[in-house]
Amino acid sequence: MRCAAIIVAAGSSRRMGFDKLAAEIRGSSVLRRSVDAFMATEGITRVIVVAPEDRFASLGSDFPKPLLRMDGGKERQNSVENGLSLVMEELVAVHDGARPLVKPETIAACILAAREHGAATLARQVTETIKRSDADAFSRESVSRENLWFMETPQIFRSDLLREAYAEVSKRELVVTDEVSAVETIGIPVKLIASPSPNLKITVPADIELAEALLK
């Protein structure tokens, strides 16, 4: 089963204050690092970057596999749907462009799980103590962390399942923050693959320094 990759890179970086996807980490931009990881992954046939033209152009053209561009949409889910219109492969991996530390071997593990189960995602088990607060931000009770996970990307699915899921999301006029949430609307269980190494999402300026440190 062939696998295409959709890298979502259409955001405005409002919380960052500058284009976080153009920020350099040890000589390569955040977005370029994300693209390179998928280019280096066996099983990925091509990469679709959902991004504005200028951001896409900054990537250059020296890639070993086809690299395509698609315009973004109003919401993240609209951007992914736009990218899906270019997918002909049986599987599709959706990845946040702002997660530059993902590794090819980790992507490959998720592809294998998606081939077996139809849907798989990289995730991280919750290890911290979790509290529920009141409306005034005072701690009121503990929440069991058993079986709780932080969702990461890539999230990989059979392409037909993801298309069906987004059709249902659109029909019900839902807003979802990731593809796992979308496929849950059609009752599809998603296999969780524990992330073996840091896979942080660049959100605030300090994350750039943290990513630099992790790469060292």
Side-chain angles (χ1 to χ4, degrees), residues 4 30 67 73 90 98 114 118 121 129 132 135 140 142 147 163 166-167 174-175 178-179 183 187 197 201 203 211:
V30 169
L67 182 71
E90 296 85 358
T121 182
T129 297
R132 180 177 286 112
R140 292 304 180 195
S142 294
N147 298 328
R163 288 191 174 97
Y166 271 124
L174 301 175
V175 175
D178 71 346
E179 286 57 60
V183 300
S197 58
K201 185 176 182 180
T203 305

Side-chain angles (χ1 to χ4, degrees), residues 4-11 21 29-36 38-39 46-60 63 65-73 79-80 82-87 92-98:
I6 296 173
I7 297 184
V8 185
L21 294 170
S29 73
V30 169
L31 182 55
R32 175 73 193 229
R33 283 189 171 275
S34 296
V35 171
D36 283 344
F38 283 85
M39 287 287 177
R46 57 182 170 154
V47 177
I48 300 158
V49 178
V50 182
E53 289 184 3
D54 57 344
R55 186 176 285 165
F56 180 80
S58 71
L59 290 170
F63 294 100
K65 299 174 184 177
L67 182 71
L68 307 176
R69 189 194 75 85
M70 175 54 71
D71 289 325
S79 293
V80 175
N82 289 353
L84 269 173
S85 68
L86 298 179
V87 172
V92 57
V94 182
H95 184 68
D96 294 324

Side-chain angles (χ1 to χ4, degrees), residues 75-152:
E75 304 286 348
R76 183 186 188 280
Q77 65 199 56
N78 306 126
S79 293
V80 175
E81 285 186 283
N82 289 353
L84 269 173
S85 68
L86 298 179
V87 172
M88 297 181 293
E89 290 81 354
E90 296 85 358
L91 295 176
V92 57
V94 182
H95 184 68
D96 294 324
R99 291 188 187 272
L101 302 188
V102 69
K103 296 181 178 180
E105 56 267 30
T106 302
I107 299 169
C110 288
I111 292 174
L112 287 175
R115 284 173 176 163
E116 180 178 357
H117 303 286
T121 182
L122 201 61
R124 178 167 58 88
Q125 285 188 291
V126 174
T127 57
E128 297 90 343
T129 297
I130 303 296
K131 292 287 185 179
R132 180 177 286 112
S133 72
D134 60 20
D136 297 315
F138 286 96
S139 175
R140 292 304 180 195
E141 62 178 333
S142 294
V143 178
S144 173
R145 63 192 177 198
E146 184 177 6
N147 298 328
L148 292 183
W149 297 70
F150 295 108
M151 292 296 97
E152 296 185 353

Side-chain angles (χ1 to χ4, degrees), residues 16 18 200-213:
M16 198 73 159
F18 57 89
L200 81 161
K201 185 176 182 180
I202 304 297
T203 305
V204 297
D207 293 332
I208 299 291
E209 295 180 13
L210 178 57
E212 289 265 9

Side-chain angles (χ1 to χ4, degrees), residues 5-25:
I6 296 173
I7 297 184
V8 185
S12 61
S13 302
R14 285 189 301 269
R15 283 178 289 180
M16 198 73 159
F18 57 89
D19 186 357
K20 64 183 180 183
L21 294 170
E24 286 203 358
I25 299 176

